[in-house]
Amino acid sequence: MDPLNRTWTPSFLLAGFAAPRMLRPLAFLGTLCIYVLTLAGNLLIIVLVRADAALSTPMYFFLSVLSFLELWYVSTTAPMLLHTWLHGRSPIPAAACFIQLYVFHSLGMTECHLLGVMALDRYLAICRPLHYHALMSRKVRLWLAGASWGAGFSAALVPACLTASLPFCWKEVAHYFCDLAPLMRLACVDTGWHARVHGAVIGVATGCNFVLILGLYGGILRAVLKLPSAASRAKAFSTCSSHMTVVALFFGSAFVVYVGSAGSHAEGTDKRIALLYTILTPFLNPIIYTLRNKEVKEAVRRVTQRIRAMLKGP
């Protein structure tokens, strides 16, 4: 890594992935396809929830909020990954690097809180069905969604500000975007204290929400097992299976990368794991939530018919 000249406004170099030159265009095209499909899938969910009255329920409201978040989440990292596939090591101003770091972690923590809210929604729908719509009124939904965003963007200030205050002696970030552990390796000072603070902040956010989700699903399991028929139990479980899959992907990767020691992973490990939660998970979320969902499929059919009728005219 090259020493950083701190007599001028610093910039960093994003190393990206080491790959043969012949494979880089293929990697670029593959990443671009996944990125475009991710944007299209999440936009489709947002449009369907807005356009189809049958999806105007709390569950689909929160799903549309999650899809909106995923649009921004994947867009904080995918463009830089595409750039490094084409051009190799890519410069990024320090200010842009720290802004990217803050926005990325803000969106990640917001998603963490939002997944907890979505678990609460499923718990109330299954365990308190008679009071569900009163408890999940439009005002409550908006408040819960806003609180998730506020909590995520507030908590991310701590790791972002601590990292930005470090003195840096090197400039090459062994990653394709600005993240905590790769940046701390470039510091001129010991970052053990910073790593512990980062782990505590992110660990509290992920840990509390994970425990909340486990507790809520424990209550759901008890309620579902009391249902009289196998068909009703299967239907109740099917409304939760998509959310549980997304929770496993999100929290599994978050605990591996951040809740351990933020600087303890070998170089190169972070960016390989990061592909899971920065590219793959946002790509899979629309598929997971819609593939086996009859209501969404019916909504697609109805909206498509309306669009065709509008194009044909009177």
Side-chain angles (χ1 to χ4, degrees), residues 62 65 69 106-107 109-118 141-154 209:
F62 291 122
V65 174
L69 184 149
S106 296
L107 293 170
M109 290 193 189
T110 299
E111 181 165 353
C112 179
H113 295 300
L114 191 57
L115 290 173
V117 168
M118 293 173 77
R141 280 180 269 165
L142 292 172
W143 187 88
L144 288 171
S148 298
W149 284 83
F153 275 75
S154 299
N209 279 283

Side-chain angles (χ1 to χ4, degrees), residues 58 64 83 106 110 150 164 181 203 210 254 259-260 270 279 282 290 292 296 310 314:
S64 68
H83 194 273
S106 296
T110 299
F210 188 65
V259 180
D270 295 312
I279 303 296
T290 60
R292 297 175 60 188
V296 173
M310 290 171 60

Side-chain angles (χ1 to χ4, degrees), residues 17-237:
F17 286 97
R21 185 174 295 273
M22 291 178 61
L23 294 180
R24 286 183 174 273
L26 293 176
F28 172 84
L29 289 174
T31 304
L32 180 62
C33 288
I34 292 175
Y35 180 44
V36 171
L37 289 173
T38 301
L39 297 180
N42 284 289
L43 278 171
L44 175 64
I45 290 176
I46 294 170
V47 170
L48 286 176
V49 173
R50 296 281 294 178
D52 193 84
L55 300 185
S56 58
T57 63
M59 181 179 77
Y60 289 109
F61 168 77
F62 291 122
L63 179 56
S64 68
V65 174
L66 178 64
S67 294
F68 178 75
L69 184 149
E70 295 286 24
L71 292 176
W72 295 100
Y73 186 69
V74 71
S75 295
T76 60
T77 57
M80 289 308 302
L81 177 58
L82 291 169
H83 194 273
T84 57
W85 281 131
L86 281 184
H87 304 286
R89 296 194 311 171
S90 301
I92 181 172
C97 183
F98 296 133
I99 290 171
Q100 183 192 60
L101 174 73
Y102 171 65
V103 172
F104 174 76
H105 282 278
S106 296
L107 293 170
M109 290 193 189
T110 299
E111 181 165 353
C112 179
H113 295 300
L114 191 57
L115 290 173
V117 168
M118 293 173 77
L120 174 64
D121 171 70
R122 291 297 81 212
Y123 174 83
L124 293 176
I126 293 172
C127 300
R128 301 287 186 273
L130 298 179
H131 307 285
Y132 173 55
H133 289 286
L135 292 170
M136 274 293 174
S137 64
R138 176 175 171 78
K139 183 177 179 180
V140 172
R141 280 180 269 165
L142 292 172
W143 187 88
L144 288 171
S148 298
W149 284 83
F153 275 75
S154 299
L157 282 170
V158 176
C161 290
L162 283 177
T163 304
S165 67
L166 288 169
F168 294 97
C169 289
W170 294 273
K171 65 188 301 181
E172 185 171 319
V173 182
H175 215 304
Y176 57 89
F177 70 97
C178 294
D179 203 3
L180 292 172
L183 283 173
M184 286 196 296
R185 294 193 191 100
L186 310 182
C188 307
V189 296
D190 177 65
T191 58
W193 178 80
H194 295 76
R196 288 191 291 274
V197 173
H198 296 164
V201 172
I202 298 173
V204 167
T206 55
C208 289
N209 279 283
F210 188 65
V211 170
L212 171 66
I213 291 170
L214 288 179
L216 291 170
Y217 272 109
I220 290 172
L221 180 63
R222 288 194 298 271
V224 169
L225 292 177
K226 294 178 182 178
L227 294 175
S229 66
S232 58
R233 289 194 294 270
K235 183 178 179 180
F237 277 127

